[in-house]
Amino acid sequence: MKVFSLLMLLATAGTTLAATCPGSGQCECLFPDKSHCCLYGSNAETGDGYDCTTLCAGASRILQGGEDTPVKCNAGGDFACASLITTQGRTPCYNNA
């Protein structure tokens, strides 16, 4: 029973860690086809205890040319961790705060 409890604890910890992007600090929210939608960074916008899944669940990208409303990512919180190099030139997420 103790071994099972330990395995469950480790699995839960792994899931929790997977929802953030330590080191890079960047959540790249994805469209359903896994392409780039928008980018959140670990900053005043996300705070210290950010969760990429939660941030990306309702994410929209900022307005692009010809758009009059932010486009929703609509991927149910799907994200990828983006490195500092990868983030260059990526579309930021819309912040309605």
Side-chain angles (χ1 to χ4, degrees), residues 20-31:
T20 64
C21 292
S24 68
Q26 303 289 308
C27 305
E28 181 176 9
C29 302
L30 305 174
F31 284 118

Side-chain angles (χ1 to χ4, degrees), residues 19-58:
T20 64
C21 292
S24 68
Q26 303 289 308
C27 305
E28 181 176 9
C29 302
L30 305 174
F31 284 118
D33 69 356
K34 307 292 186 211
S35 64
H36 168 76
C37 177
C38 63
L39 191 72
Y40 270 110
S42 178
N43 52 33
E45 189 174 316
T46 59
D48 291 333
Y50 70 97
D51 176 344
C52 292
T53 303
T54 301
L55 290 172
C56 292

Side-chain angles (χ1 to χ4, degrees), residues 4 6-8 12 14-15 17 30-31 34 36-37 40 45 47-49 55 59 65 67 79 81 85:
F4 179 74
L6 179 59
L7 289 175
M8 289 303 291
T12 304
T15 302
L17 290 176
L30 305 174
F31 284 118
K34 307 292 186 211
H36 168 76
C37 177
Y40 270 110
E45 189 174 316
D48 291 333
L55 290 172
E67 296 174 350
F79 73 94
C81 294
I85 293 171

